[in-house]
Amino acid sequence: MKKIKNEKLSSILFIEIAEILNEEVRYIKKNFLVTLMKVNINSNMNRIKVYINIYPFLDKEIIYFIRSKSRFYRKLLSKRLRYRVKKVPKLDFRVIYNN
């Protein structure tokens, strides 16, 4: 039962985090794309690992901006999921490098 709950929650979080990143990150620079690849939730529900990819090339400034705003994104996420989730875990952004 816990696995089903975790999968449902991760799918909801995937959609909401993707929308937040789409709205907030576009103001940093032009001509790049941040895509959300995967969302993993710890078993004790205290951390969300968010895997992103940056196109067309990896930019350290974008990564730094996203990681520095993780508290703000968590606050936005808690407002969006107010009645569905009691506590929103901390967001940990990780980069999947381009091949």
Side-chain angles (χ1 to χ4, degrees), residues 53-68:
N53 199 347
I54 300 172
Y55 292 107
F57 57 89
L58 185 64
D59 190 356
K60 300 282 185 187
E61 183 180 336
I62 298 168
I63 297 168
Y64 179 75
F65 178 81
I66 292 172
R67 286 183 177 159
S68 67

Side-chain angles (χ1 to χ4, degrees), residues 27-41:
Y27 298 112
I28 310 170
K29 284 186 177 179
K30 301 290 182 191
N31 301 328
F32 75 94
L33 177 66
V34 176
T35 58
L36 183 62
M37 303 302 283
K38 185 170 43 169
V39 173
N40 284 342
I41 304 172

Side-chain angles (χ1 to χ4, degrees), residues 12 18 38 40 45 52 62 71 74 78 85 87 98:
I12 291 170
K38 185 170 43 169
N40 284 342
M45 302 285 285
I52 60 174
I62 298 168
R71 285 184 178 174
R74 181 180 178 199
S78 68
V85 178
K87 179 188 168 197
N98 296 338

Side-chain angles (χ1 to χ4, degrees), residues 66-76 91 93:
I66 292 172
R67 286 183 177 159
S68 67
K69 292 281 198 169
S70 66
R71 285 184 178 174
F72 177 67
Y73 297 151
R74 181 180 178 199
K75 184 177 177 181
L76 289 176
L91 299 173
F93 288 96

Side-chain angles (χ1 to χ4, degrees), residues 8-24 36 39 48 50 72-82 84-85 88 91 93:
K8 284 183 180 180
L9 184 59
S10 66
S11 68
I12 291 170
L13 288 170
F14 186 90
I15 294 168
E16 295 296 332
I17 292 171
E19 289 178 3
I20 288 172
L21 284 176
N22 187 26
E23 292 170 2
E24 296 294 325
L36 183 62
V39 173
I48 301 172
V50 180
F72 177 67
Y73 297 151
R74 181 180 178 199
K75 184 177 177 181
L76 289 176
L77 200 58
S78 68
K79 285 182 181 179
R80 289 176 178 231
L81 301 174
R82 184 177 309 136
R84 293 187 267 181
V85 178
V88 175
L91 299 173
F93 288 96

